[in-house]
Amino acid sequence: MSRFQLLSDAQWSMIADMLPRPTGRKGRPFADARTMVEAIIYRYRTGIAWRDLPEVFGPWQTVWTWHRRMAAEGTWDRVLERLTAAADEAGQIDWTVSVDSTIARAHQHATNISRHTGGWIELHESADPTPDPAPEPAGSRTA
């Protein structure tokens, strides 16, 4: 077990049966599920890159693969549902929602869109500064 114990035994017991188990097939040794979950939690709590995971969790590639597979299979969604239901049943979640209708206007320089003050003509002028000659009206030519 890693020195980073992020889950209590009670928390672990709530989700342990939802995680992958050894299949019994020969090949690489099966990574400890609790260590993998602890590593994933550690990575998200600290905000570090996968490559910066401490070595105590094992190869970062293994942790990343576990996370990716569990996300693709919907395991994390099921874990969230179970934990949310348990917390709601215990009265630990307050479902009251507060909505504020105040408008906070940003300063004009807070946008990432460049501002052109010259108007439409400045934006659409051709590279040639000389204007095109005006066409002559029909029938005004003299021979």
Side-chain angles (χ1 to χ4, degrees), residues 4 6 39-49 52-54:
F4 300 98
L6 304 169
I40 293 165
I41 292 170
Y42 180 83
R43 189 258 177 187
Y44 277 102
R45 281 190 180 172
T46 59
I48 62 175
D52 295 334
L53 275 172

Side-chain angles (χ1 to χ4, degrees), residues 116-136:
H116 300 284
T117 57
W120 189 86
I121 295 172
E122 179 184 329
L123 296 175
H124 299 289
E125 283 182 337
S126 64
D128 183 10
T130 58
D132 292 335
E136 295 181 5

Side-chain angles (χ1 to χ4, degrees), residues 65-114:
T65 301
W66 268 70
H67 174 64
R68 183 181 54 83
R69 285 182 184 161
M70 289 172 37
E73 294 169 355
T75 304
W76 292 125
D77 296 330
R78 290 189 300 277
V79 166
L80 178 62
E81 287 173 14
R82 180 178 286 181
L83 295 177
T84 303
D88 190 26
E89 185 177 310
Q92 297 173 335
I93 297 179
D94 181 12
W95 293 104
T96 305
V97 177
S98 177
V99 178
D100 183 8
S101 63
T102 304
I103 297 173
R105 299 219 181 255
H107 188 271
Q108 64 184 3
H109 297 128
T111 182
N112 62 355
I113 300 172
S114 60

